[in-house]
Amino acid sequence: MHEILRVQKLGKNHGGYHGETIDIRAVLNEVETATQSRGWASEIFHAHDGFKWLALHRSPEAASQKSEVGIYISAGIHGDEPAGPLAALKLLQENHWPPDIEIFLLPCLNPAGFTLNKRENADGTDLNRDYRNPQAAETRAHIAWLERQPKFDLYLCLHEDWESHGFYLYEQNPYAKPSLAEKMIGAVQKVCPIDQSETIEERAAKNGIVRPNISPQERPDWPEAFYLITQKSRRGYTLEAPSDFPLPVRVNALVAAVNAALINLL
Ligand SMILES: [Zn+2]
């Protein structure tokens, strides 16, 4: 514990992310390997330039289908945020999914961005601003896939922030359902510092929790989360790992947050 609390910023991120990069093709190959023999269905909902966009689906175990809870988890929409796809891979490899929960896991929404270590896709589009009037082929394919899915009880979007002083999250909970925010922060703080800033990205924050009061209708450039909260889910979180910290710390932070949400959902 004391070891963990001494984790410090690396001081590498000046003007953007300058930390470790990943070989996204190798990571996605490992993802596919991890899903095999573990009961996951894998769908390719888009392919371009040698990349495959994967949607993984895990049904609740037949013996324990007492609930119909579905969770959507996505990662890798920004190509300079490697902890997201790595966290998706680690969650698959650890394979500690609650048996009653149906999981939809999209491990990487912007594979080309990772080969460039860029936030945007290969054409320079920030895909996470493309969900209101989608222009990019991968956003359109993603939304077409989403339209074929049932509603989700919860969405979790895995991100990183190159400027932040620790982990934080955004909560979207317009129907005042039970919040999972404090549970996730409580789990993450054992493995990664929490950003204690009172303002994060120009919004009020408390103990790493940002509860933005924004009407999606007032914003022209929707992130994925706005599409999800208006069309697919009544509650969700955007998780932000601090990318000026060592990569394993950030991966562990995202994994801890997801596991805390899963455990406390039912
Ligand atoms: Zn991001």
Side-chain angles (χ1 to χ4, degrees):
M1 179 65 112
H2 294 286
E3 204 62 37
I4 289 157
L5 292 175
R6 280 205 297 273
V7 172
Q8 299 289 323
K9 283 180 93 166
L10 298 170
K12 288 184 180 174
N13 288 357
H14 299 289
Y17 178 61
H18 293 286
E20 292 164 77
T21 57
I22 52 172
D23 178 346
I24 193 64
R25 290 177 211 272
V27 170
L28 292 173
N29 283 339
E30 286 189 72
V31 162
E32 289 195 278
T33 303
T35 56
Q36 287 158 8
S37 81
R38 290 191 173 123
W40 289 81
S42 176
E43 178 185 344
I44 299 167
F45 65 88
H46 183 61
H48 180 69
D49 218 8
F51 291 111
K52 293 183 288 190
W53 276 251
L54 293 176
L56 308 172
H57 177 227
R58 181 189 176 283
S59 299
E61 284 174 16
S64 61
Q65 279 188 347
K66 56 192 177 211
S67 84
E68 294 183 354
V69 176
I71 293 199
Y72 168 90
I73 304 167
S74 72
I77 200 169
H78 289 140
D80 57 353
E81 300 176 7
L86 290 179
L89 173 61
K90 188 165 187 184
L91 287 159
L92 288 165
Q93 289 173 334
E94 291 184 349
N95 201 32
H96 291 154
W97 308 96
D100 300 341
I101 295 180
E102 183 173 24
I103 314 272
F104 300 85
L105 174 59
L106 280 64
C108 187
L109 293 173
N110 180 16
F114 283 92
T115 62
L116 305 165
N117 190 28
K118 264 179 39 181
R119 177 180 175 92
E120 297 83 6
N121 73 354
D123 299 327
T125 299
D126 183 346
L127 298 174
N128 207 34
R129 298 290 180 269
D130 194 35
Y131 279 79
R132 185 158 190 172
N133 298 298
Q135 303 298 312
E138 52 268 63
T139 316
R140 290 170 183 252
H142 181 206
I143 288 176
W145 177 86
L146 282 163
E147 286 174 343
R148 298 197 302 273
Q149 311 311 317
K151 303 263 192 206
F152 311 117
D153 294 86
L154 175 73
Y155 74 79
L156 300 171
C157 298
L158 278 47
H159 282 256
E160 298 206 81
D161 183 336
W162 64 267
E163 293 175 290
S164 71
H165 304 294
F167 178 92
Y168 67 95
L169 58 81
Y170 295 97
E171 177 177 75
Q172 291 272 12
N173 190 8
Y175 300 94
K177 291 170 73 83
S179 176
L180 298 165
E182 284 82 4
K183 297 275 190 350
M184 284 192 274
I185 292 292
V188 172
Q189 69 187 6
K190 295 175 183 163
V191 297
C192 176
I194 305 299
D195 191 331
Q196 297 294 344
S197 306
E198 291 180 3
T199 304
I200 298 177
E201 297 287 322
E202 298 173 6
R203 303 195 184 282
K206 191 171 179 190
N207 195 26
I209 299 170
V210 186
R211 294 188 161 104
N213 200 358
I214 328 165
S215 165
Q217 303 310 328
E218 290 166 15
R219 192 165 149 178
D221 53 349
W222 281 10
E224 178 194 13
F226 279 22
Y227 178 87
L228 293 168
I229 202 67
T230 55
Q231 308 294 327
K232 299 301 293 184
S233 182
R234 297 178 139 223
R235 170 174 60 164
Y237 298 86
T238 299
L239 311 179
E240 299 277 357
S243 70
D244 208 3
F245 286 76
L247 186 54
V249 172
R250 293 135 55 188
V251 173
N252 288 342
L254 292 172
V255 167
V258 171
N259 280 331
L262 292 170
I263 291 164
N264 290 287
L265 188 67
L266 295 178

